[in-house]
Amino acid sequence: MNRHLLIETQGPWAGRECASFVRDAAALADGGHRTQLFLLQEGVLGAVPGVLPELDSYLAADGDLLVDRYSAAQRGLKQEQLVAGSRLVDMDEIAGSVLDAAVKVVWH
């Protein structure tokens, strides 16, 4: 199966596109694809419990939810304030996936 990295930078308050992007990630994960959803910049706000309900389906489909540590810290968010199943990561972990030719990257 394919590997996918979806990067969300806009966050839930930018409009319906964020929720749609997460639903696309959930569909990929549910289809058996190894899928990582990386929340970056304003996107990290979607990892606050109750803000982006679409994450429930994504996580239930065994999607990997990654949250940028720097962006979260800039907004005063700590791991314990984020949805269960998310993981704070640094950019070096993401850079490896972005540069991997076997990973399909979509940036929103």
Side-chain angles (χ1 to χ4, degrees):
M1 282 291 162
N2 293 323
R3 292 176 47 207
H4 298 272
L5 171 62
L6 287 82
I7 302 171
E8 173 58 49
T9 62
Q10 297 181 26
W13 290 281
R16 295 184 300 241
E17 292 82 14
C18 177
S20 179
F21 195 68
V22 174
R23 284 192 297 273
D24 290 344
L28 287 167
D30 195 44
H33 299 277
R34 182 170 169 226
T35 307
Q36 294 181 308
L37 176 61
F38 179 51
L39 304 180
L40 175 67
Q41 298 169 337
E42 293 302 314
V44 300
L45 298 172
V48 174
V51 171
L52 193 56
E54 291 79 7
L55 286 176
D56 294 339
S57 298
Y58 175 72
L59 291 167
D62 291 326
D64 191 15
L65 180 59
L66 309 174
V67 179
D68 179 52
R69 184 181 316 277
Y70 180 77
S71 296
Q74 282 188 314
R75 290 152 182 85
L77 296 172
K78 298 178 180 164
Q79 180 67 61
E80 58 270 11
Q81 296 172 295
L82 305 177
V83 295
S86 65
R87 181 168 56 99
L88 288 173
V89 298
D90 295 310
M91 285 302 284
D92 59 342
E93 182 174 340
I94 300 305
S97 293
V98 169
L99 296 174
D100 186 339
V103 177
K104 296 178 189 308
V105 179
V106 181
W107 195 296
H108 179 251

